[in-house]
């Protein structure tokens, strides 16, 4: 039995406690370190990719603008109508200096072709063909230096057309076709980590430079360029790197930098598996350490649980006895440690539970005969002296149903009880809402006390608001009763003044009530109230004048009073 208890409760408890004390802080520390390591690695990766992309973009920019600078030397002198052999010599010299240039076309100030030399085609001298509407010349005249979209010679090699006009109209323009395969030297030299690479896309997103030259030669194919364009679009205009998938389906981190002028984009990428390899290694180390710590915690928990079985068994038996209601049960553990202190605390708890049970039984007994707030007041005060008789100012509220006697005589008892149940249910909620004291109810009549035994601020105003809410709530009920053929009404009477309040009755049955002329006056006012009417005495009216709408009803002769009593009514629409 002991071993069975140990493995079902104590062992698991201490294993969990030691696991939380040893393994969880270690795990939290590992997670925090992994998180900060991840952030640091992301920052390093962002910096590395950004530097590589920016560096490659700068080199490509220098490559392109190196060619444009060389082309600019060909548009320095004005044209004449005579053939110019010197320009042809300068163009051939530029061919030797810039092997990326495939062809050159020199145009005079009228847009006529004066010289065309090519590495792959026939040369033309003084063809005088009109090229004034050529998009390259038009674009160059607009921005001085013009770059075309990348084209693919024979659907393979990427070419770029560059056009430059001189500073003066008379010097004409030069149009050159540049083979972009030579950018491969720049891109292939870039290594991001061990396997990271860089590539270049033009404005529409076609591949024009990549370490794998075979991909560049297929760059005109949509299927070839689409994966690389997807990476560029994933980065977007935001700073920092983004994650995507490369052409092989691997998760990568990538950063981009623009190449000014031709409006290209250089993208540097690195596989995430390589970029986050240090983080993965740290996580594995943390997991191994956590596993070792968990085993150690389990062994330690087993040793402690084995020594603690007997005291725990005694505590278990004690709790079962106390749970069964034997609050006089005590346990004795003499170990001189925390278990002995726990046993002492248990014994004190059992004694306090016995006292608490007696207290709860006493409050429950009070609530059977007193209003709930009166019983709570006794509970807070610690004794019942607050219920002793005393003289104080109170507001007494009486209410009952008009025509209830005739109604109850004409319907079945079950219907009468159903109506009364609805009636008391809704009035009970209203009385509780305004924290008034329900003194008694008889048949269809209720007596409610405000300002005793619990003192409240502005008791007259609260009593009037209570009466108005009573009328509003009961009139809603009456509307439903009338649809069922029940014809009853509801009236309320209020009076304020001094009264003797306190408990009355005998040992087995106590009630809290109020005695005085103010009680009789409130009851008489209630009896005089017609349906939908709330009648007040002069003292309540004086306290709420200006705060609630009053109607002076004049003096009324009230049974039990020698002189006519000034009566006031509350003017309001219950609906």
């Amino acid at each position: 039995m002991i071993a069975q208890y140990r493995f079902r409760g104590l062992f698991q408890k201490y294993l969990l406690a030691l696991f939380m004390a040893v393994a969880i802080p270690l795990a939290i520390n590992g997670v925090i370190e992994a998180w900060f390591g991840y952030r640091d690695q992301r920052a390093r990766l962002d910096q590395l990719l950004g530097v590589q992309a920016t560096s490659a973009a700068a080199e490509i920019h220098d490559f392109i603008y190196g060619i444009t600078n060389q082309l600019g030397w060909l548009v320095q002198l004005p044209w004449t109508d005579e053939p110019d052999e010197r320009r042809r010599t300068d163009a051939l010299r530029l061919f030797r200096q810039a092997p990326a240039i495939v062809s050159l076309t020199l145009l005079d100030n009228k847009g006529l072709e004066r010289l065309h030399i090519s590495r792959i085609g026939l040369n033309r001298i003084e063809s005088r063909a009109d090229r004034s509407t050529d998009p390259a010349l038009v674009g160059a005249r607009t921005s001085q230096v013009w770059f075309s979209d990348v084209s693919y010679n024979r659907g393979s090699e990427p070419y770029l057309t560059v056009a430059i006009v001189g500073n003066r109209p008379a010097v004409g323009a030069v149009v050159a076709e540049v083979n972009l395969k030579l950018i491969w030297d720049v891109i292939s030299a870039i290594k991001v980590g061990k396997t990271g690479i860089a590539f270049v896309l033009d404005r529409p997103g076609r591949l024009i430079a990549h370490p794998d030259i075979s991909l560049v030669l297929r760059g005109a194919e949509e299927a070839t360029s689409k994966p690389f364009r997807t990476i560029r679009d994933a980065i977007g205009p935001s700073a920092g790197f983004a994650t995507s998938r490369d052409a092989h389906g691997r998760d990568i981190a990538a950063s981009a930098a623009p190449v000014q002028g031709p409006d290209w984009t250089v993208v540097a990428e690195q596989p995430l598996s390589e970029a986050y390899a240090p983080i993965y290694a740290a996580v594995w180390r943390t997991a191994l350490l956590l596993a070792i710590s968990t085993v150690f915690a389990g062994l330690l928990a087993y040793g402690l649980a084995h020594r603690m079985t007997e005291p725990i068994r005694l505590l278990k038996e004690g709790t079962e006895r106390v749970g069964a209601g034997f609050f006089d049960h005590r346990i004795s553990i003499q170990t001189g440690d925390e278990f002995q202190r726990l046993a002492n605390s248990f014994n004190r708890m059992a004694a306090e539970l016995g006292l608490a049970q007696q207290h709860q039984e006493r409050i429950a007994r009070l609530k059977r005969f007193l209003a709930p707030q009166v019983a709570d007041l006794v509970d807070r005060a610690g004794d019942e002296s607050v219920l002793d008789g005393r003289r104080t100012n109170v507001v007494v509220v009486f209410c009952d149903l008009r025509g209830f006697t005739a109604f109850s005589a004409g319907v079945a008892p079950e219907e009468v009880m159903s109506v009364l149940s609805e009636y008391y249910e809704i009035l009970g909620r209203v009385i509780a809402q305004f924290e008034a004291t329900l003194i008694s109810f008889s048949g269809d009549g209720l007596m409610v006390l405000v300002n005793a035994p619990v003192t409240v601020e502005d008791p007259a105003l609260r009593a009037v608001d209570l009466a108005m809410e009573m009328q509003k709530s009961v009139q809603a009920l009456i509307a439903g009763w009338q649809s069922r053929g029940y014809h009853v009404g509801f009236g309320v009477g209020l009076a304020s003044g001094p009264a003797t309040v306190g408990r009355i009755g005998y040992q087995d049955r106590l009630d809290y009530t109020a005695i005085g002329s103010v009680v009789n006056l409130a009851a008489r006012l209630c009896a005089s109230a017609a349906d939908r009417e709330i009648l007040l005495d002069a003292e309540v009216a004086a306290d709420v004048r200006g705060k609630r709408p009053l109607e002076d009803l004049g003096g009324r002769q009230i049974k039990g009073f020698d002189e006519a009593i000034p009566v006031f009514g509350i003017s309001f629409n219950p609906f």
Side-chain angles (χ1 to χ4, degrees):
M1 174 63 74
I2 293 177
Q4 183 181 15
Y5 175 78
R6 179 176 67 238
F7 283 105
R8 286 185 177 179
L10 187 62
F11 179 81
Q12 296 172 357
K13 172 184 174 182
Y14 279 90
L15 175 62
L16 179 60
L18 290 173
F19 177 82
M20 293 173 62
V22 178
I24 290 182
L26 182 62
I28 293 174
N29 180 68
V31 169
I32 293 174
E33 289 186 357
W35 168 246
F36 283 105
Y38 168 75
R39 291 183 58 188
D40 294 342
Q41 186 65 16
R42 281 185 64 93
R44 287 193 293 269
L45 182 60
D46 187 17
Q47 184 179 19
L48 172 63
L49 292 173
V51 167
Q52 294 289 2
T54 303
S55 175
E59 292 189 37
I60 295 173
H61 178 272
D62 293 343
F63 171 80
I64 296 297
Y65 276 88
I67 293 176
T68 61
N69 289 336
Q70 290 176 313
L71 292 174
W73 289 102
L74 298 178
V75 286
Q76 299 294 321
L77 299 176
W79 285 92
T80 64
D81 290 336
E82 301 298 326
D84 194 337
E85 185 63 27
R86 180 181 176 183
R87 292 181 190 270
R88 181 173 178 274
T89 302
D90 291 342
L92 292 175
R93 183 184 302 114
L94 179 57
F95 259 33
R96 291 193 299 271
Q97 294 174 352
I101 298 177
V102 178
S103 68
L104 282 173
T105 302
L106 296 178
L107 307 176
D108 63 13
N109 58 318
K110 298 177 182 179
L112 303 179
E113 182 183 296
R114 302 294 295 273
L115 175 65
H116 174 78
I117 60 176
S118 174
R119 298 181 191 274
I120 59 176
L122 297 177
N123 298 337
R124 296 187 299 269
I125 300 176
E126 297 295 336
S127 68
R128 306 278 176 150
D130 186 2
R131 300 280 296 275
S132 59
T133 59
D134 192 309
L137 180 59
V138 174
R141 284 176 175 173
T142 302
S143 58
Q144 192 171 10
V145 179
W146 177 83
F147 298 98
S148 71
D149 288 338
V150 174
S151 61
Y152 289 85
N153 185 33
R154 296 186 298 274
S156 177
E157 296 180 355
Y159 277 32
L160 175 68
T161 301
V162 182
I164 301 175
V165 298
N167 293 328
R168 296 170 295 166
V171 300
V174 59
V175 180
E177 285 189 324
V178 180
N179 191 333
L180 299 179
K181 283 199 305 181
L182 298 182
I183 300 178
W184 179 84
D185 294 332
V186 176
I187 294 300
S188 62
I190 296 175
K191 294 294 182 184
V192 183
K194 294 181 179 180
T195 60
I197 61 171
F199 57 87
V200 183
L201 301 175
D202 67 354
R203 182 171 47 248
R206 293 175 297 182
L207 186 66
I208 59 176
H210 191 278
D212 186 353
I213 192 66
S214 64
L215 295 175
V216 177
L217 299 179
R218 301 196 305 267
E221 300 175 359
E222 173 66 16
T224 301
S225 298
K226 184 176 180 180
F228 300 99
R229 186 165 58 250
T230 301
I231 296 174
R232 184 193 66 177
D233 294 343
I235 299 171
S238 60
F241 73 89
T243 58
S244 184
R245 290 181 179 272
D246 63 10
H248 303 290
R250 297 178 301 177
D251 292 326
I252 61 166
S255 184
V259 178
Q260 300 298 329
D263 196 14
W264 297 345
T265 303
V266 178
V267 178
E269 67 173 46
Q270 185 180 20
L272 285 179
S273 58
E274 178 184 328
Y276 291 153
I279 301 300
Y280 298 152
V283 171
W284 278 111
R285 287 194 299 270
T286 301
L288 179 61
L289 185 58
L290 180 61
I292 295 173
S293 300
T294 302
V295 173
F296 172 75
L299 294 175
L300 185 60
Y302 181 85
L304 290 174
H306 181 71
R307 297 184 58 186
M308 296 176 182
T309 300
E310 183 61 23
I312 293 299
R313 184 185 66 80
L314 294 175
L315 287 169
K316 176 179 178 295
E317 291 180 353
T319 56
E320 290 176 348
R321 295 280 293 173
V322 171
F326 298 98
F327 297 110
D328 57 346
H329 179 77
R330 301 293 182 266
I331 60 175
S332 177
I333 298 178
Q334 303 298 327
T335 57
D337 56 14
E338 285 77 3
F339 276 111
Q340 183 173 341
R341 290 195 290 272
L342 180 60
N344 296 337
S345 298
F346 177 87
N347 292 335
R348 288 194 297 272
M349 178 195 68
E352 291 171 359
L353 285 175
L355 294 176
Q357 185 187 38
Q358 295 176 7
H359 174 74
Q360 290 177 355
E361 291 175 350
R362 175 170 165 266
I363 295 300
R365 185 169 58 253
L366 286 174
K367 287 185 175 181
R368 290 178 59 192
F369 306 113
L370 299 177
Q373 60 267 38
V374 179
D376 291 337
L377 180 63
V378 174
D379 184 26
R380 291 194 300 271
D383 57 48
E384 300 180 13
S385 60
V386 294
L387 302 180
D388 293 341
R390 60 190 176 95
R391 190 76 170 171
T392 187
N393 284 321
V394 297
V395 181
V396 183
V397 181
F398 272 90
C399 63
D400 64 6
L401 294 173
R402 308 278 87 97
F404 181 76
T405 302
F407 157 75
S408 60
V411 298
E414 293 80 4
E415 291 295 322
V416 174
M417 298 306 293
S418 174
V419 167
L420 285 178
S421 177
E422 296 176 5
Y423 173 68
Y424 285 131
E425 178 70 23
I426 198 165
L427 285 182
R429 286 199 297 266
V430 174
I431 293 170
Q433 175 186 347
F434 285 85
E435 298 180 352
T437 302
L438 176 60
I439 297 300
S440 65
F441 53 86
S442 175
D444 60 319
L446 278 79
M447 174 182 173
V448 179
L449 208 59
V450 179
N451 206 42
V454 181
T455 303
V456 298
E457 295 184 2
D458 206 347
L461 182 61
R462 178 175 296 200
V464 169
D465 289 343
L466 167 66
M468 293 172 66
E469 186 64 27
M470 282 180 167
Q471 272 288 9
K472 179 180 178 181
S473 300
V474 175
Q475 290 300 332
L477 274 180
I478 291 174
W481 292 340
Q482 288 176 348
S483 65
R484 292 152 59 181
Y486 305 154
H487 300 288
V488 294
F490 181 68
V492 184
L494 292 82
S496 175
T500 301
V501 296
R503 55 186 169 183
I504 189 171
Y506 55 94
Q507 182 177 0
D508 294 333
R509 174 60 189 266
L510 295 174
D511 282 326
Y512 186 85
T513 189
I515 300 174
S517 61
V518 66
V519 178
N520 297 331
L521 178 57
R524 299 303 183 187
L525 289 174
C526 176
S528 299
D531 180 30
R532 302 174 181 266
E533 207 171 27
I534 300 174
L535 299 184
L536 319 175
D537 72 343
E539 188 167 345
V540 175
D543 290 338
V544 300
R545 189 178 302 278
K547 301 176 183 178
R548 297 294 181 267
L550 292 177
E551 182 182 357
D552 190 346
L553 301 179
R556 289 191 183 183
Q557 191 66 42
I558 303 298
K559 183 179 179 180
F561 293 86
D562 297 333
E563 299 179 356
I565 301 297
V567 178
F568 298 83
I570 293 292
S571 301
F572 82 107
N573 185 358
F575 299 106

